[in-house]
Amino acid sequence: MGTDTSQKVRFNIIDTPGHIDFTSEVKRSMRVLDGAVVVFDGVAGVEPQSETNWRYAEEAEVPRLCYINKLDRTGASFEKSYASILDRLSNKAVRMQIPIGLEDKFEGVIDLLSMKSYHFEGEMGTNVVAGDVPENLKAEAEKYRHELVERIVENDDALMHEYLEGKEISTDVLKKTLRKAVIENKIFPVFTGSSLKNKGVQLVLDAVVDYLPSPLDLPPAKGTNPETGEDESREASDNAPFAALVFKLQVDPFVGALSFFRMYSGTIKAGDFVYNATTRKKERLGRIVRLQADKREDLKEVYAGEIAAAVGLKEIKIGQTLCDEDHPIALESIVFPEPVISMRIEPKTKVDQEKMGVALSRLSDEDPTFRVASDPETMETIVSGMGELHLEIIVDRMRREFGVEASTGKPQVAYRETINGTADVEYKHIKQTGGRGQYGHVKIRVKPLEPVEEGKKIKNNVEREDHFEFINSIKGGVIPQEYIQPVKKGVKEAMERGIQAGFPVVDVSVELYDGSYHDVDSSEIAFKLAAINAMQSAMKQAKPVILEPIMKLEVVTPEKFMGDVTGSINSKRGQIEAMGERGQARVITAKVPLSELFGFTTQLRSLTEGRAVPNLEFSHYAIVPGNVAQTIIEARK
């Protein structure tokens, strides 16, 4: 509860992990929540992970409040942390409060809008006591209040006019104007406190109610009609047709499969049938529960704007829409980052083998950045994820939740292959074996895929997918229409295994421009085989290269270890991009190939007495240097 207990407001809070390997949790929360409270450490200020999550919030255009926590810690500084927000995240941040005292002398906060001081007394700071601003902080508070009021009135011309004429503007009007500016992402208010001592949290909860949007403040949810493909939207109203987005799946030991969903419009009762816009199937919604930490409360009905979980839906996946069958809509789904690291996993005993399949499929349903595949050559199970920690936790969960003992192999890098040149290839697939023969003849051109410029329309004869484009330039029916798709299928099948080391091929544009067919002997399979062979030989000629994932590495280290750390990064084919300062520490930013980073954390600890902190996230794919490519190809043979 906040300080004003007269008005009851319900809000849903989703707390996300901070580690970069679990970035998908942040991504999906941004998609279904209306506002965010970004928490910073009063000593460290903006950390690398805060920047990544801030960037996700920018992409999703989510209004934010900032909360500088842990002001009771040794070395805490509100001003330093506030400066790091302005410097590294956004100059739209503005302080709403200043602290009274710091470190062990931190007592409370001054609210600059109302010019009151707040102390938090009693067991765990539950009594919020308002008072006057202490004399020694008056001048400072006045100065910062002017700054705050100026920032607020800038967003309203009439108010700006009054303010410049020297009129006193009421707190209510300032709050209303500020709310509008926060919802439009023009201002990010900054609050402060110490959550451990329960000081300041109450005012942040009030601010969530006062300034962050309710579902009614936001534009209608966008989607498409799955039957007509037309754009549609849903107002956040109980009277609109029902639409909800499923954003998380979880297996609960007591109730079974839970599907968390955000209601965008309409209402739904327990026992109703819901329509899945993606699979086009209906399912009965047995129980609906509201979750609070580990407590569950059964609900009869859920309304627009709420978040709840359905029990026992069988065929639902993350990012799918549940809706009203008479008014179908597929809401915009959630886009997750691709996994960058994979490793072998094998069960220890025959009993584990059966359970492992179930465990892996459940875990990959729950976590879209975790993938399971089997290597067709070695028949081994390969799991992929966002980092070493991510995969370690998955293996640990298999043991704890599913009782599966498994051993893992050395992590593998998700290499890709592509082409650097162009090639023009003709291939005839002809087989004559008594009776009907096979005849397929194609001419294709391959070249590296170029990104589509924004606003530029894709031509009708071009089919574009992620990292692949197929251009059909067949004129005058030299290859009949029904054989075009088999050609595309064949090309894609050839791209599943590159010709250098058998890695998937990406970023290729393939044009089918000529060929011929035979009235009797041509078939889909003949054209597919012709395309596979043509593509394989085209890839050989078009300067094939191997791509490797490059990670953005940031290391925060005490100054005396700078030389050792940069030396270590350089030895790993790393390119150092920037060196800066953060408080007393130094920050090194570099781009380093993932293949060189296994065990880097351990090495870094021993170099720096355990005092340096690394942070890794995927940056991009880049061409592997020739000598390294040779080693990779040898290892795959």
Side-chain angles (χ1 to χ4, degrees):
M1 284 307 293
T3 53
D4 175 8
T5 48
S6 60
Q7 53 170 141
K8 295 236 168 169
V9 179
R10 157 169 296 127
F11 40 82
N12 296 285
I13 299 177
I14 295 184
D15 177 22
T16 59
H19 195 284
I20 186 71
D21 283 9
F22 302 97
T23 181
S24 71
E25 294 291 339
V26 180
K27 272 249 133 62
R28 64 166 130 214
S29 304
M30 294 292 182
R31 172 67 182 79
V32 294
L33 294 184
D34 302 332
V37 178
V38 190
V39 183
F40 301 95
D41 181 318
V43 181
V46 176
E47 294 173 271
Q49 192 48 47
S50 325
E51 286 186 61
T52 308
N53 293 344
W54 187 273
R55 205 168 60 239
Y56 289 154
E58 289 280 74
E59 286 167 16
E61 296 181 354
V62 172
R64 276 145 278 171
L65 305 179
C66 302
Y67 172 57
I68 297 174
N69 187 17
K70 304 186 185 176
L71 280 196
D72 54 333
R73 274 184 59 189
T74 311
S77 157
F78 173 79
E79 286 305 323
K80 264 195 183 149
S81 301
Y82 175 65
S84 73
I85 295 175
L86 291 178
D87 175 42
R88 301 182 58 185
L89 300 181
S90 170
N91 55 7
K92 295 180 193 167
V94 64
R95 41 167 107 63
M96 297 290 291
Q97 300 173 335
I98 53 174
I100 304 170
L102 281 173
E103 300 181 355
D104 53 354
K105 297 194 179 61
F106 174 64
E107 292 171 25
V109 298
I110 294 168
D111 177 32
L112 298 174
L113 262 191
S114 62
M115 284 302 271
K116 281 185 187 152
S117 71
Y118 287 94
H119 287 77
F120 305 88
E121 293 169 3
E123 186 64 32
M124 284 310 290
T126 36
N127 302 339
V128 181
V129 182
D132 294 331
V133 176
E135 282 303 321
N136 62 340
L137 291 170
K138 247 194 176 132
E140 197 182 340
E142 288 286 347
K143 176 180 121 192
Y144 290 139
R145 184 175 198 273
H146 278 303
E147 199 180 284
L148 171 64
V149 174
E150 271 177 18
R151 289 292 297 280
I152 296 173
V153 296
E154 275 173 10
N155 294 289
D156 185 312
D157 293 343
L159 269 194
M160 185 74 174
H161 203 69
E162 283 182 32
Y163 177 72
L164 292 174
E165 285 177 356
K167 288 186 185 160
E168 189 55 49
I169 296 165
S170 76
T171 311
D172 279 354
V173 173
L174 286 172
K175 273 186 155 177
K176 272 198 185 117
T177 315
L178 178 58
R179 177 184 176 86
K180 195 166 168 289
V182 171
I183 291 171
E184 289 170 357
N185 275 323
K186 289 179 178 164
I187 291 184
F188 304 120
V190 182
F191 298 84
T192 187
S194 154
S195 300
L196 181 66
K197 307 260 167 72
N198 217 356
K199 293 180 176 178
V201 185
Q202 302 84 337
L203 302 176
V204 177
L205 293 180
D206 284 350
V208 168
V209 177
D210 289 343
Y211 306 122
L212 288 182
S214 90
L216 302 173
D217 294 311
L218 294 166
K222 290 194 194 67
T224 48
N225 182 323
E227 272 144 35
T228 62
E230 304 275 309
D231 288 348
E232 288 201 13
S233 63
R234 290 282 182 272
E235 293 283 341
S237 151
D238 293 346
N239 303 324
F242 157 66
L245 184 76
V246 174
F247 65 93
K248 185 177 171 77
L249 302 178
Q250 190 180 339
V251 178
D252 184 295
F254 302 106
V255 296
L258 285 174
S259 315
F260 289 78
F261 59 89
R262 154 80 198 253
M263 290 280 288
Y264 281 97
S265 61
T267 60
I268 188 83
K269 290 190 177 71
D272 285 357
F273 276 92
V274 292
Y275 180 71
N276 180 335
T278 315
T279 60
R280 313 278 179 97
K281 287 184 180 163
K282 273 162 67 164
E283 278 200 71
R284 187 166 171 275
L285 206 58
R287 280 171 66 195
I288 307 176
V289 291
R290 177 179 293 129
L291 283 100
Q292 189 176 345
D294 52 359
K295 294 200 286 287
R296 293 172 213 77
E297 164 196 352
D298 268 283
L299 298 176
K300 294 265 185 296
E301 190 164 12
V302 192
Y303 302 94
E306 292 198 84
I307 284 181
V311 179
L313 288 181
K314 299 273 186 302
E315 296 189 23
I316 190 81
K317 293 268 187 287
I318 290 168
Q320 294 183 344
T321 303
L322 299 175
C323 57
D324 171 357
E325 192 177 5
D326 301 330
H327 302 90
I329 183 171
L331 296 167
E332 289 176 0
S333 191
I334 311 173
V335 181
F336 291 104
E338 286 292 312
V340 291
I341 181 171
S342 44
M343 65 183 184
R344 273 199 335 272
I345 183 165
E346 47 198 44
K348 288 195 172 158
T349 66
K350 191 90 181 97
V351 181
D352 287 326
Q353 185 152 16
E354 287 154 18
K355 291 196 290 190
M356 187 171 94
V358 176
L360 288 175
S361 99
R362 287 264 182 87
L363 290 166
S364 65
D365 279 348
E366 279 182 34
D367 180 351
T369 56
F370 171 64
R371 309 271 170 86
V372 183
S374 65
D375 185 325
E377 290 186 354
T378 57
M379 297 314 288
E380 293 170 323
T381 304
I382 307 288
V383 291
S384 315
M386 299 305 293
E388 288 183 82
L389 179 73
H390 187 191
L391 294 181
E392 271 168 38
I393 285 183
I394 293 274
V395 173
D396 184 52
R397 282 187 61 190
M398 277 174 48
R399 201 185 62 245
R400 279 197 333 251
E401 294 172 28
F402 299 91
V404 177
E405 292 292 336
S407 49
T408 55
K410 187 172 167 274
Q412 303 281 324
V413 179
Y415 290 108
R416 299 274 182 269
E417 294 186 25
T418 188
I419 55 172
N420 238 350
T422 55
D424 204 322
V425 169
E426 171 177 14
Y427 190 88
K428 272 187 181 161
H429 175 75
I430 305 175
K431 254 198 172 138
Q432 208 60 49
T433 45
R436 225 180 114 175
Q438 288 184 15
Y439 182 92
H441 171 210
V442 295
K443 292 186 185 179
I444 62 170
R445 247 182 231 119
V446 300
K447 60 174 199 257
L449 182 67
E450 287 162 12
V452 175
E453 290 164 31
E454 252 185 51
K456 201 171 169 194
K457 287 213 97 141
I458 296 178
K459 292 185 186 146
N460 287 343
N461 66 333
V462 177
E463 287 182 53
R464 206 177 171 104
E465 297 170 18
D466 276 352
H467 305 292
F468 171 63
E469 163 181 274
F470 182 72
I471 305 169
N472 170 14
S473 303
I474 293 297
K475 298 271 187 303
V478 292
I479 296 177
Q481 194 54 40
E482 66 264 30
Y483 299 140
I484 304 291
Q485 280 308 315
V487 170
K488 180 184 167 186
K489 267 195 191 134
V491 166
K492 284 184 72 170
E493 200 167 297
M495 285 173 65
E496 283 168 17
R497 289 184 59 78
I499 46 103
Q500 283 199 296
F503 296 111
V505 180
V506 293
D507 297 336
V508 177
S509 167
V510 179
E511 180 182 14
L512 171 65
Y513 69 92
D514 198 3
S516 64
Y517 73 106
H518 187 284
D519 279 338
V520 181
D521 291 353
S522 279
S523 64
E524 290 191 3
I525 188 79
F527 272 98
K528 184 176 162 184
L529 290 168
I532 290 176
N533 286 301
M535 190 62 195
Q536 281 170 343
S537 100
M539 287 190 298
K540 280 189 186 127
Q541 294 171 32
K543 298 188 189 148
V545 286
I546 295 178
L547 299 173
E548 64 181 344
I550 304 289
M551 306 300 276
K552 178 183 171 194
L553 168 70
E554 187 167 88
V555 181
V556 182
T557 170
E559 187 165 7
K560 64 174 187 178
F561 303 116
M562 278 283 281
D564 295 342
V565 176
T566 50
S568 168
I569 291 172
N570 287 330
S571 73
K572 297 187 177 314
R573 299 196 282 128
Q575 289 183 326
I576 291 175
E577 296 191 322
M579 296 192 194
E581 294 179 18
R582 186 169 311 157
Q584 301 303 305
R586 295 284 179 272
V587 185
I588 303 165
T589 313
K591 294 271 186 355
V592 189
L594 175 65
S595 57
E596 304 281 342
L597 286 171
F598 295 126
F600 176 66
T601 312
T602 322
Q603 191 187 349
L604 191 66
R605 279 187 196 132
S606 59
L607 278 178
T608 61
E609 301 164 11
R611 289 167 63 192
V613 183
N615 227 302
L616 271 181
E617 62 177 292
F618 172 69
S619 168
H620 62 283
Y621 270 93
I623 294 174
V624 176
N627 55 339
V628 181
Q630 227 25 64
T631 320
I632 296 170
I633 293 167
E634 289 302 314
R636 291 280 286 188
K637 275 187 177 158

PDB file of all heavy atoms in Angstrom, residues 370-389:
ATOM      1  N   PHE A 370      15.086 -20.840 -24.945  1.00  0.00           N
ATOM      2  CA  PHE A 370      15.728 -22.139 -24.745  1.00  0.00           C
ATOM      3  C   PHE A 370      15.205 -23.094 -25.815  1.00  0.00           C
ATOM      4  O   PHE A 370      13.997 -23.273 -25.941  1.00  0.00           O
ATOM      5  CB  PHE A 370      15.398 -22.664 -23.335  1.00  0.00           C
ATOM      6  CG  PHE A 370      15.835 -24.084 -23.103  1.00  0.00           C
ATOM      7  CD1 PHE A 370      17.169 -24.422 -23.120  1.00  0.00           C
ATOM      8  CD2 PHE A 370      14.901 -25.087 -22.870  1.00  0.00           C
ATOM      9  CE1 PHE A 370      17.578 -25.740 -22.926  1.00  0.00           C
ATOM     10  CE2 PHE A 370      15.296 -26.398 -22.669  1.00  0.00           C
ATOM     11  CZ  PHE A 370      16.641 -26.725 -22.695  1.00  0.00           C
ATOM     12  N   ARG A 371      16.110 -23.682 -26.617  1.00  0.00           N
ATOM     13  CA  ARG A 371      15.657 -24.556 -27.714  1.00  0.00           C
ATOM     14  C   ARG A 371      16.266 -25.944 -27.564  1.00  0.00           C
ATOM     15  O   ARG A 371      17.370 -26.079 -27.069  1.00  0.00           O
ATOM     16  CB  ARG A 371      16.109 -24.001 -29.070  1.00  0.00           C
ATOM     17  CG  ARG A 371      15.787 -22.541 -29.317  1.00  0.00           C
ATOM     18  CD  ARG A 371      14.428 -22.346 -29.960  1.00  0.00           C
ATOM     19  NE  ARG A 371      14.048 -20.943 -29.957  1.00  0.00           N
ATOM     20  CZ  ARG A 371      14.394 -20.080 -30.901  1.00  0.00           C
ATOM     21  NH1 ARG A 371      15.130 -20.472 -31.923  1.00  0.00           N
ATOM     22  NH2 ARG A 371      13.994 -18.832 -30.832  1.00  0.00           N
ATOM     23  N   VAL A 372      15.530 -26.924 -28.057  1.00  0.00           N
ATOM     24  CA  VAL A 372      16.027 -28.310 -28.026  1.00  0.00           C
ATOM     25  C   VAL A 372      16.011 -28.841 -29.455  1.00  0.00           C
ATOM     26  O   VAL A 372      15.031 -28.650 -30.170  1.00  0.00           O
ATOM     27  CB  VAL A 372      15.100 -29.196 -27.160  1.00  0.00           C
ATOM     28  CG1 VAL A 372      15.664 -30.600 -27.064  1.00  0.00           C
ATOM     29  CG2 VAL A 372      14.921 -28.602 -25.778  1.00  0.00           C
ATOM     30  N   ALA A 373      17.096 -29.507 -29.855  1.00  0.00           N
ATOM     31  CA  ALA A 373      17.125 -30.099 -31.199  1.00  0.00           C
ATOM     32  C   ALA A 373      17.962 -31.360 -31.116  1.00  0.00           C
ATOM     33  O   ALA A 373      18.681 -31.569 -30.144  1.00  0.00           O
ATOM     34  CB  ALA A 373      17.763 -29.122 -32.180  1.00  0.00           C
ATOM     35  N   SER A 374      17.865 -32.214 -32.162  1.00  0.00           N
ATOM     36  CA  SER A 374      18.783 -33.352 -32.122  1.00  0.00           C
ATOM     37  C   SER A 374      19.687 -33.260 -33.340  1.00  0.00           C
ATOM     38  O   SER A 374      19.248 -32.840 -34.415  1.00  0.00           O
ATOM     39  CB  SER A 374      18.023 -34.669 -32.085  1.00  0.00           C
ATOM     40  OG  SER A 374      17.323 -34.814 -33.285  1.00  0.00           O
ATOM     41  N   ASP A 375      20.938 -33.629 -33.154  1.00  0.00           N
ATOM     42  CA  ASP A 375      21.904 -33.566 -34.242  1.00  0.00           C
ATOM     43  C   ASP A 375      21.678 -34.792 -35.121  1.00  0.00           C
ATOM     44  O   ASP A 375      21.843 -35.922 -34.665  1.00  0.00           O
ATOM     45  CB  ASP A 375      23.316 -33.575 -33.649  1.00  0.00           C
ATOM     46  CG  ASP A 375      24.363 -33.378 -34.733  1.00  0.00           C
ATOM     47  OD1 ASP A 375      24.141 -33.880 -35.852  1.00  0.00           O
ATOM     48  OD2 ASP A 375      25.385 -32.741 -34.461  1.00  0.00           O
ATOM     49  N   PRO A 376      21.272 -34.597 -36.402  1.00  0.00           N
ATOM     50  CA  PRO A 376      20.905 -35.754 -37.228  1.00  0.00           C
ATOM     51  C   PRO A 376      22.069 -36.724 -37.443  1.00  0.00           C
ATOM     52  O   PRO A 376      21.859 -37.906 -37.669  1.00  0.00           O
ATOM     53  CB  PRO A 376      20.455 -35.125 -38.551  1.00  0.00           C
ATOM     54  CG  PRO A 376      20.985 -33.727 -38.533  1.00  0.00           C
ATOM     55  CD  PRO A 376      21.131 -33.324 -37.103  1.00  0.00           C
ATOM     56  N   GLU A 377      23.313 -36.225 -37.359  1.00  0.00           N
ATOM     57  CA  GLU A 377      24.448 -37.117 -37.631  1.00  0.00           C
ATOM     58  C   GLU A 377      24.815 -37.946 -36.406  1.00  0.00           C
ATOM     59  O   GLU A 377      25.070 -39.131 -36.503  1.00  0.00           O
ATOM     60  CB  GLU A 377      25.654 -36.293 -38.067  1.00  0.00           C
ATOM     61  CG  GLU A 377      25.445 -35.697 -39.446  1.00  0.00           C
ATOM     62  CD  GLU A 377      26.682 -34.998 -39.957  1.00  0.00           C
ATOM     63  OE1 GLU A 377      27.651 -34.871 -39.211  1.00  0.00           O
ATOM     64  OE2 GLU A 377      26.642 -34.579 -41.117  1.00  0.00           O
ATOM     65  N   THR A 378      24.872 -37.276 -35.251  1.00  0.00           N
ATOM     66  CA  THR A 378      25.359 -37.996 -34.069  1.00  0.00           C
ATOM     67  C   THR A 378      24.210 -38.501 -33.207  1.00  0.00           C
ATOM     68  O   THR A 378      24.422 -39.218 -32.238  1.00  0.00           O
ATOM     69  CB  THR A 378      26.230 -37.062 -33.216  1.00  0.00           C
ATOM     70  OG1 THR A 378      25.436 -35.920 -32.869  1.00  0.00           O
ATOM     71  CG2 THR A 378      27.450 -36.598 -33.962  1.00  0.00           C
ATOM     72  N   MET A 379      22.973 -38.063 -33.550  1.00  0.00           N
ATOM     73  CA  MET A 379      21.771 -38.431 -32.779  1.00  0.00           C
ATOM     74  C   MET A 379      21.846 -37.930 -31.318  1.00  0.00           C
ATOM     75  O   MET A 379      21.186 -38.456 -30.451  1.00  0.00           O
ATOM     76  CB  MET A 379      21.539 -39.961 -32.793  1.00  0.00           C
ATOM     77  CG  MET A 379      21.265 -40.542 -34.163  1.00  0.00           C
ATOM     78  SD  MET A 379      20.074 -39.600 -35.136  1.00  0.00           S
ATOM     79  CE  MET A 379      18.567 -39.982 -34.278  1.00  0.00           C
ATOM     80  N   GLU A 380      22.676 -36.937 -31.082  1.00  0.00           N
ATOM     81  CA  GLU A 380      22.748 -36.392 -29.719  1.00  0.00           C
ATOM     82  C   GLU A 380      21.697 -35.305 -29.552  1.00  0.00           C
ATOM     83  O   GLU A 380      21.290 -34.664 -30.529  1.00  0.00           O
ATOM     84  CB  GLU A 380      24.123 -35.752 -29.477  1.00  0.00           C
ATOM     85  CG  GLU A 380      25.253 -36.754 -29.458  1.00  0.00           C
ATOM     86  CD  GLU A 380      26.604 -36.045 -29.453  1.00  0.00           C
ATOM     87  OE1 GLU A 380      26.750 -35.003 -30.106  1.00  0.00           O
ATOM     88  OE2 GLU A 380      27.489 -36.566 -28.784  1.00  0.00           O
ATOM     89  N   THR A 381      21.279 -35.084 -28.307  1.00  0.00           N
ATOM     90  CA  THR A 381      20.346 -33.986 -28.033  1.00  0.00           C
ATOM     91  C   THR A 381      21.156 -32.721 -27.782  1.00  0.00           C
ATOM     92  O   THR A 381      22.101 -32.731 -26.996  1.00  0.00           O
ATOM     93  CB  THR A 381      19.493 -34.313 -26.794  1.00  0.00           C
ATOM     94  OG1 THR A 381      18.843 -35.557 -27.044  1.00  0.00           O
ATOM     95  CG2 THR A 381      18.462 -33.249 -26.538  1.00  0.00           C
ATOM     96  N   ILE A 382      20.790 -31.656 -28.478  1.00  0.00           N
ATOM     97  CA  ILE A 382      21.515 -30.379 -28.344  1.00  0.00           C
ATOM     98  C   ILE A 382      20.560 -29.357 -27.728  1.00  0.00           C
ATOM     99  O   ILE A 382      19.447 -29.184 -28.214  1.00  0.00           O
ATOM    100  CB  ILE A 382      21.962 -29.850 -29.732  1.00  0.00           C
ATOM    101  CG1 ILE A 382      22.738 -30.917 -30.502  1.00  0.00           C
ATOM    102  CG2 ILE A 382      22.757 -28.555 -29.592  1.00  0.00           C
ATOM    103  CD1 ILE A 382      24.116 -31.216 -29.994  1.00  0.00           C
ATOM    104  N   VAL A 383      20.982 -28.707 -26.640  1.00  0.00           N
ATOM    105  CA  VAL A 383      20.146 -27.637 -26.066  1.00  0.00           C
ATOM    106  C   VAL A 383      20.854 -26.303 -26.302  1.00  0.00           C
ATOM    107  O   VAL A 383      22.075 -26.221 -26.252  1.00  0.00           O
ATOM    108  CB  VAL A 383      19.890 -27.849 -24.552  1.00  0.00           C
ATOM    109  CG1 VAL A 383      18.987 -29.031 -24.326  1.00  0.00           C
ATOM    110  CG2 VAL A 383      21.179 -28.008 -23.766  1.00  0.00           C
ATOM    111  N   SER A 384      20.054 -25.263 -26.593  1.00  0.00           N
ATOM    112  CA  SER A 384      20.637 -23.938 -26.870  1.00  0.00           C
ATOM    113  C   SER A 384      19.985 -22.905 -25.976  1.00  0.00           C
ATOM    114  O   SER A 384      18.796 -23.002 -25.666  1.00  0.00           O
ATOM    115  CB  SER A 384      20.398 -23.532 -28.315  1.00  0.00           C
ATOM    116  OG  SER A 384      20.681 -24.601 -29.155  1.00  0.00           O
ATOM    117  N   GLY A 385      20.784 -21.880 -25.612  1.00  0.00           N
ATOM    118  CA  GLY A 385      20.241 -20.828 -24.745  1.00  0.00           C
ATOM    119  C   GLY A 385      21.025 -19.544 -24.896  1.00  0.00           C
ATOM    120  O   GLY A 385      21.813 -19.378 -25.827  1.00  0.00           O
ATOM    121  N   MET A 386      20.826 -18.632 -23.936  1.00  0.00           N
ATOM    122  CA  MET A 386      21.385 -17.289 -24.041  1.00  0.00           C
ATOM    123  C   MET A 386      22.769 -17.149 -23.407  1.00  0.00           C
ATOM    124  O   MET A 386      23.394 -16.110 -23.517  1.00  0.00           O
ATOM    125  CB  MET A 386      20.438 -16.274 -23.383  1.00  0.00           C
ATOM    126  CG  MET A 386      19.065 -16.201 -23.999  1.00  0.00           C
ATOM    127  SD  MET A 386      19.100 -15.874 -25.769  1.00  0.00           S
ATOM    128  CE  MET A 386      19.742 -14.219 -25.797  1.00  0.00           C
ATOM    129  N   GLY A 387      23.216 -18.171 -22.689  1.00  0.00           N
ATOM    130  CA  GLY A 387      24.525 -18.040 -22.047  1.00  0.00           C
ATOM    131  C   GLY A 387      24.790 -19.261 -21.186  1.00  0.00           C
ATOM    132  O   GLY A 387      23.925 -20.120 -21.012  1.00  0.00           O
ATOM    133  N   GLU A 388      26.014 -19.338 -20.639  1.00  0.00           N
ATOM    134  CA  GLU A 388      26.384 -20.518 -19.843  1.00  0.00           C
ATOM    135  C   GLU A 388      25.494 -20.648 -18.606  1.00  0.00           C
ATOM    136  O   GLU A 388      25.050 -21.731 -18.251  1.00  0.00           O
ATOM    137  CB  GLU A 388      27.868 -20.449 -19.457  1.00  0.00           C
ATOM    138  CG  GLU A 388      28.781 -20.712 -20.660  1.00  0.00           C
ATOM    139  CD  GLU A 388      30.269 -20.722 -20.309  1.00  0.00           C
ATOM    140  OE1 GLU A 388      30.748 -21.762 -19.835  1.00  0.00           O
ATOM    141  OE2 GLU A 388      30.936 -19.692 -20.511  1.00  0.00           O
ATOM    142  N   LEU A 389      25.225 -19.506 -17.944  1.00  0.00           N
ATOM    143  CA  LEU A 389      24.407 -19.548 -16.717  1.00  0.00           C
ATOM    144  C   LEU A 389      22.998 -20.064 -17.025  1.00  0.00           C
ATOM    145  O   LEU A 389      22.430 -20.877 -16.291  1.00  0.00           O
ATOM    146  CB  LEU A 389      24.322 -18.154 -16.086  1.00  0.00           C
ATOM    147  CG  LEU A 389      23.468 -18.097 -14.817  1.00  0.00           C
ATOM    148  CD1 LEU A 389      24.208 -18.762 -13.661  1.00  0.00           C
ATOM    149  CD2 LEU A 389      23.106 -16.668 -14.427  1.00  0.00           C
TER     150      LEU A 389
END
